[in-house]
Amino acid sequence: MNAAESSTQILPADHEVDENAGQYLTFMLAGEEYGVDILRVQEIRGWEKAAKIPNTPSYVRGVINLRGTIVPIIDLRHRFGLEEVEYGRTTVVVVLRVEDGEEHRVMGVVVDAVSDVYNIGSEHMKPAPDFGMGMKSEFARGLATMDEKMIIVLDIDMILSAKELARVVQSEPVTEEEAEEGSAEEV
């Protein structure tokens, strides 16, 4: 009997796999702790200036060359509509593997600081409430309580999907400079 056969005999027929249970890397944003599935984390890098790409949305800080792979860098504070702050010594880029349908992409998110790694079981995970305008509830897989702290577990595929990022661009207000550039191009 191999391992797969033995595991199917141990689990009851109606056993459901808990998709939210697992190990999570947590990081800080504006004093709140957020978590992402650690299996999606490719690496954690200190903040270094990214190469700016013209005509990209304001939440895109640029791109970096990660061993031959061009990786877009998203400022998660800006993406969530939080107050922007200057990057400091603890500012890091968490490089993540994002799944969008059958496609896989590598993207980096700028966060205030890396916090910890937790094993979060289903008994610690609660459904996400509606967060209102700043953050849509579908961005959160759930809320976990660990060591008397609340961790917002993110659905990184939803937050960084091409469709969702395009929607953010469409909802961004046009700055006066962009409006002036647009009217100059029309002439």
Side-chain angles (χ1 to χ4, degrees):
M1 179 183 310
N2 65 30
E5 290 172 339
S6 66
S7 67
T8 56
Q9 290 176 348
I10 294 171
L11 299 174
D14 62 345
H15 176 78
E16 293 182 25
V17 175
D18 184 353
E19 295 178 3
N20 292 325
Q23 201 168 37
Y24 294 87
L25 171 75
T26 63
F27 54 83
M28 302 303 293
L29 276 179
E32 299 295 331
E33 193 164 7
Y34 295 82
V36 293
D37 186 342
I38 202 162
L39 296 176
R40 299 300 187 88
V41 177
Q42 301 222 327
E43 70 180 78
I44 300 167
R45 305 170 57 95
W47 166 252
E48 58 188 72
K49 190 170 181 174
K52 294 273 186 191
I53 303 293
N55 296 322
T56 54
S58 58
Y59 59 80
V60 176
R61 291 298 178 236
V63 295
I64 60 172
N65 184 344
L66 187 62
R67 294 179 292 281
T69 301
I70 302 301
V71 178
I73 305 298
I74 308 293
D75 185 317
L76 216 48
R77 268 183 174 266
H78 189 82
R79 174 71 184 86
F80 287 166
L82 301 171
E83 178 186 357
E84 292 190 43
V85 295
E86 282 194 37
Y87 296 160
R89 292 181 308 144
T90 61
T91 304
V92 296
V93 174
V94 180
V95 179
L96 300 163
R97 182 176 53 87
V98 178
E99 296 179 359
D100 195 0
E102 295 182 12
E103 294 182 27
H104 299 267
R105 293 179 287 134
V106 177
M107 301 182 79
V109 293
V110 179
V111 300
D112 295 349
V114 169
S115 181
D116 214 331
V117 174
Y118 291 100
N119 289 314
I120 300 175
S122 59
E123 69 276 12
H124 298 289
M125 189 78 79
K126 304 287 183 231
D130 184 4
F131 289 99
M133 296 298 289
M135 183 177 156
K136 296 180 180 180
S137 62
E138 63 259 27
F139 290 172
R141 291 174 68 181
L143 298 176
T145 305
M146 301 295 295
D147 299 334
E148 301 179 13
K149 295 190 282 191
M150 183 73 73
I151 299 169
I152 302 168
V153 178
L154 299 175
D155 182 342
I156 208 69
D157 294 335
M158 176 66 87
I159 295 167
L160 299 176
S161 75
K163 182 179 173 185
E164 187 57 36
L165 292 176
R167 189 171 20 189
V168 172
V169 172
Q170 292 169 355
S171 65
E172 283 188 346
V174 176
T175 64
E176 289 182 29
E177 294 171 354
E178 291 171 335
E180 289 175 11
E181 289 175 13
S183 62
E185 290 175 4
E186 292 174 7
V187 175

